Amino acid sequence: MTEWLEDGYDYLRDKMLDGIAEVGRIAMLVGDTFRKLGRGLRSFGLIVDQMDHIGVQSLMLVFIVSLFTGAVAAVQAGYQFANVVPLKFIGSVILRSVIIELGPVLTALIVGGRVGASIAAELGTMRVTEQIDALDAMAINPVRYLVVPRVIAALVMLPVLTIMANTIAIVGGWIVCLTTLDVSTHTYVTSMKTFFFMKDLWSGLIKAFFFGGIIAWMGCYYGFRTEGGAEGVGIATTRAVVSSCVLVLISDYVLANVLFRFIFTP
Amino acid sequence: MIKIRDLKIRLGKKQVLNGVDLDIPTGKTVVVMGRSGTGKSVLFKNIIGLMHPDSGSIEVDGQEVVGIPEKELNEVRKRFGVLFQSGALFDSMTVGENVGLPLREHTKLPDAEIRKRVADRLEWVGLKGVEAMKPASLSGGMRKRVGLARAIAMDPAYILYDEPTTGLDPIMSDVINRLIRSLQERIGVTSIVVTHDMNSAYHVADEMALLNEGRVVFTGTPDEARSTSDPIVRQFIEGSSEGPIKPL
Ligand SMILES: Nc1ncnc2c1ncn2[C@@H]1O[C@H](COP(=O)(O)OP(=O)(O)OP(=O)(O)O)[C@@H](O)[C@H]1O
Ligand SMILES: [Mg+2]
């Protein structure tokens, strides 16, 4: 019985130390990225490639998801408002929930799935086929060459995609209002205008910026640490996606607190 | 001149290198032989700082490279051309971009000049005009030769070859062997060739070294290797399963 307890204790302790070490290694990768930022920025072509890959190629997915997000927000608001709140407020509710939460978070989650996975799979394959070693051997720093362009592209593209997602979600909500809720365009727009605050939009975009960093760094980190062939690449991909989604939600909570309590105080 | 002294590295539970001593004189080709899994690739990765030994020293042209900061290490690495066992081509790039990458990264040569140099190096390895192909559409042997073209793009002072002929047909092996020799004659390059292809070893070696159980157990010229009575060396060059080296 005590042996069993000791095994359990050892297991938990090892897990915990592993976790701490992992956080440390991620922090080192982030630090390394900043150190290589100057030289990395000069490889403009690499950054543009990644912007295309992370941003442009995610457009269709973001479009569909946000259209339905806006539509669902409208349907839900319509249902919950019934006989409680006048429907003329629906525009502002959709607008604010979209630009503060739904737009940035859902964009980050779907881009995290798509882009986080592809970064981890690509870098993981490069690791197991010695391509990253080859970069090192050619005196080309892999963080500068591979991580910096991806991180910069994600930091720029996530806010851009979020602006797009916001716009389309609002259109999605508008379509539902017109077609099923009997709310006119004029009412919808007026309500949005009355309750629009610039700080709401900013808070969403600031969050998107952080989410972009999380997605790119998680993909790069797990990609770089891949070992053991195709199976290892699969594991790295899963870890990158799961960790970026979890971190997006946790940091959303933290950022919401920081932003609305200390920066955009009411 | 590369001087390796008492190099030790432990990976997982295995003491892979256990006191390697080896000299690679300038302008010579040294072949490192050894069974699969004896740590030839590990030795090779230690030399260019891809793996870091637990102890010991590696001097390149009199400069210690173990434990130096990355900036200095990169200056040393620029003097090396490296052919990886698997070729290690970047599969997101074309063949031409692969071979030209070190030139684009480390020189200010104009594009036209780089293209010319790339075409030239591809011709050396017998692959004229494949610049636009993607590595994925090449055969294993072609990939290795593109890797070699990339390794020599910068006119390195040292070339490390990890199994340059494994997986090639006999004719192409001979082409590579001749190429290794001619590079030595043409640009006076110093080479380390890791291989267990005895044919290739005899062809290119000025000196041979046999790695066994984490140590260099024999060094000598090809003639000395042929005539030695050392049972380990005999067993290895005769390719026999009977003798002091146990299979498994
Ligand atoms: N990153 C690593 N982590 C743990 N063990 C390793 C690592 N790399 C190599 N090894 C171990 O080191 C030993 C030597 O490997 P190495 O690749 O150097 O062999 P090799 O002599 O090049 O063989 P081959 O001729 O098949 O290429 C092997 O037992 C291998 O399992
Ligand atoms: Mg090997």
Side-chain angles (χ1 to χ4, degrees):
Chain A
M1 186 64 192
T2 50
E3 207 172 285
W4 180 84
L5 266 176
E6 263 171 39
D7 281 354
Y9 170 76
D10 283 352
Y11 176 80
L12 281 179
R13 190 196 51 199
D14 288 354
K15 275 273 163 219
M16 232 155 83
L17 289 177
D18 278 355
I20 294 169
E22 186 117 313
V23 172
R25 285 190 299 257
I26 293 171
M28 274 163 65
L29 177 65
V30 174
D32 243 12
T33 313
F34 282 112
R35 260 194 300 284
K36 299 288 184 293
L37 207 56
R39 276 219 64 196
L41 272 169
R42 269 181 263 163
S43 318
F44 197 65
L46 294 175
I47 300 175
V48 172
D49 281 352
Q50 290 304 321
M51 283 183 168
D52 174 55
H53 185 72
I54 294 174
V56 180
Q57 292 179 33
S58 297
L59 282 180
M60 201 57 211
L61 196 59
V62 169
F63 181 89
I64 294 169
V65 171
S66 6
L67 189 68
F68 282 93
T69 304
V72 170
V75 172
Q76 278 297 324
Y79 169 68
Q80 295 183 29
F81 279 12
N83 307 323
V84 185
V85 184
L87 268 181
K88 67 173 188 184
F89 292 118
I90 196 166
S92 74
V93 166
I94 293 174
L95 176 78
R96 296 188 73 183
S97 56
V98 163
I99 62 176
I100 298 175
E101 280 300 327
L102 296 174
V105 172
L106 288 175
T107 306
L109 290 179
I110 51 170
V111 173
R114 191 186 157 273
V115 173
S118 90
I119 292 177
E122 185 183 6
L123 299 196
T125 308
M126 290 184 74
R127 168 62 78 199
V128 300
T129 55
E130 297 182 312
Q131 294 176 49
I132 294 180
D133 281 347
L135 280 177
D136 265 320
M138 284 189 250
I140 299 172
N141 184 285
V143 172
R144 195 252 309 161
Y145 196 78
L146 299 171
V147 179
V148 170
R150 285 169 175 75
V151 168
I152 292 178
L155 290 177
V156 174
M157 289 324 266
L158 257 281
V160 172
L161 285 173
T162 300
I163 292 177
M164 253 217 29
N166 290 347
T167 315
I168 292 167
I170 287 163
V171 171
W174 172 65
I175 293 172
V176 170
C177 285
L178 276 188
T179 51
T180 61
L181 294 179
D182 231 7
V183 175
S184 73
T185 305
H186 177 76
T187 319
Y188 189 67
V189 172
T190 313
S191 138
M192 285 203 303
K193 273 190 191 154
T194 337
F195 292 96
F196 173 77
F197 298 104
M198 207 55 204
K199 63 180 184 183
D200 292 350
L201 182 63
W202 274 118
S203 75
L205 296 182
I206 291 169
K207 285 199 267 185
F209 179 78
F210 279 89
F211 297 160
I214 290 174
I215 292 167
W217 268 309
M218 286 298 118
C220 291
Y221 174 75
Y222 286 106
F224 266 32
R225 284 188 60 80
T226 304
E227 43 188 37
E231 190 190 5
V233 175
I235 295 172
T237 310
T238 313
R239 286 197 179 147
V241 173
V242 172
S243 64
S244 65
C245 290
V246 170
L247 284 181
V248 161
L249 292 174
I250 295 176
S251 65
D252 184 38
Y253 171 76
V254 175
L255 285 169
N257 275 298
V258 173
L259 289 171
F260 289 105
R261 278 200 199 173
F262 301 110
I263 297 173
F264 301 122
T265 39
Chain B
M1 171 93 182
I2 301 177
K3 239 190 210 165
I4 301 171
R5 288 291 174 272
D6 202 28
L7 200 71
K8 293 185 182 170
I9 185 169
R10 193 184 181 84
L11 291 170
K13 288 192 167 44
K14 196 175 168 200
Q15 188 71 40
V16 179
L17 299 181
N18 194 12
V20 169
D21 294 310
L22 187 64
D23 285 345
I24 296 104
T26 303
K28 299 279 188 240
T29 301
V30 174
V31 172
V32 178
M33 302 173 301
R35 296 185 52 200
S36 194
T38 46
K40 301 185 298 297
S41 296
V42 169
L43 174 62
F44 160 107
K45 286 181 181 169
N46 273 282
I47 295 173
I48 37 168
L50 296 177
M51 281 185 173
H52 304 288
D54 300 327
S55 66
S57 108
I58 301 171
E59 276 181 21
V60 177
D61 299 332
Q63 185 192 0
E64 176 63 51
V65 297
V66 173
I68 60 173
E70 193 192 315
K71 231 185 171 132
E72 288 171 45
L73 185 59
N74 277 341
E75 288 311 310
V76 176
R77 283 166 171 169
K78 285 182 195 168
R79 302 207 290 271
F80 279 81
V82 179
L83 173 63
F84 281 82
Q85 191 163 355
S86 59
L89 300 181
F90 303 113
D91 36 33
S92 59
M93 303 178 192
T94 65
V95 166
E97 288 166 344
N98 262 284
V99 178
L101 182 66
L103 297 167
R104 282 198 308 276
E105 289 292 323
H106 296 312
T107 70
K108 294 199 162 55
L109 291 178
D111 265 7
E113 192 64 34
I114 290 180
R115 266 198 300 278
K116 225 177 87 199
R117 180 94 74 102
V118 168
D120 195 44
R121 294 301 184 273
L122 284 171
E123 199 177 337
W124 286 15
V125 297
L127 285 173
K128 210 173 159 184
V130 298
E131 281 94 334
M133 290 176 82
K134 280 288 182 86
S137 56
L138 301 177
S139 76
M142 288 165 89
R143 245 175 264 167
K144 207 159 245 182
R145 283 185 282 152
V146 174
L148 183 51
R150 188 176 68 185
I152 57 183
M154 294 273 285
D155 291 333
Y158 295 95
I159 307 182
L160 305 183
Y161 302 87
D162 197 353
E163 319 227 355
T165 55
T166 9
L168 301 189
D169 63 78
I171 297 165
M172 205 23 90
S173 296
D174 192 53
V175 171
I176 296 292
N177 289 337
R178 281 168 199 271
L179 189 66
I180 294 176
R181 280 249 77 116
S182 78
L183 283 172
Q184 188 190 6
E185 283 151 19
R186 194 162 6 174
I187 52 181
V189 64
T190 308
S191 309
I192 305 177
V193 182
V194 165
T195 190
H196 33 55
D197 173 354
M198 291 309 300
N199 215 337
S200 159
Y202 281 130
H203 195 121
V204 301
D206 294 311
E207 250 178 74
M208 295 175 139
L210 181 65
L211 195 63
N212 193 43
E213 291 180 351
R215 281 203 174 81
V216 173
V217 294
F218 169 86
T219 48
T221 61
D223 284 336
E224 285 167 351
R226 273 194 203 94
S227 58
T228 182
S229 54
D230 184 322
I232 299 181
V233 182
R234 289 240 64 80
Q235 186 192 350
F236 192 83
I237 59 183
E238 283 161 12
S240 162
S241 60
E242 311 262 313
I245 310 177
K246 297 277 165 280
L248 265 179

